[in-house]
Amino acid sequence: MLSVIAGLVCGVISGFGIGGGSLLMIYMTAFAGLAQTQAQGINLLYFLPTAAASLIVHVKNRFVAWRTVIPAAIAGAICSAAAGLLASTLGDTVLKKLFGGFLLIVGAIELFGKHEKN
């Protein structure tokens, strides 16, 4: 039941486009007891249908800048494949530290960074 609740909450956050997968990773490693590598694989599978569902709405509302997203997606796919290969050679401890450091950096930017008023 806790996995369903985590999936629902992370789905809402994913729909907003603000990192539902990151929260899901925390749930899976800290509360579900999965290894970092297992959680990463599950997170990637979780991302596919949630991204597709919210992408439909974002495209419909014309929130997608195609000239920006296409080159970024190509570069991202190439780097993602390379990072996936690299991640498979690293241990869970290293991956957890990298992920934790990433979350700290993003959190600090969100807390202390300057934000535009809409």
Side-chain angles (χ1 to χ4, degrees):
M1 182 63 175
L2 192 55
S3 292
V4 171
I5 293 169
L8 290 171
V9 170
C10 293
V12 169
I13 295 170
S14 293
F16 291 147
I18 55 173
S22 296
L23 184 60
L24 185 64
M25 289 291 296
I26 294 167
Y27 161 73
M28 288 188 291
T29 56
F31 299 103
L34 296 175
Q36 183 78 19
T37 49
Q38 288 178 311
Q40 287 172 193
I42 292 168
N43 187 46
L44 291 170
L45 286 173
Y46 174 87
F47 176 76
L48 293 174
T50 58
S54 63
L55 181 61
I56 291 167
V57 176
H58 283 69
V59 168
K60 179 182 174 212
N61 290 322
R62 300 181 196 272
F63 294 152
V64 177
W66 292 106
R67 289 185 184 188
T68 302
V69 77
I70 290 174
I74 292 168
I78 293 166
C79 289
S80 180
L85 291 170
L86 176 63
S88 67
T89 66
L90 301 174
D92 275 355
T93 303
V94 172
L95 291 172
K96 282 184 178 184
K97 288 180 181 183
L98 289 171
F99 182 65
F102 167 76
L103 290 178
L104 288 172
I105 292 168
V106 171
I109 290 169
E110 288 300 314
L111 282 173
F112 304 114
K114 293 182 181 182
H115 301 286
E116 291 182 24
K117 292 182 181 180
N118 289 331

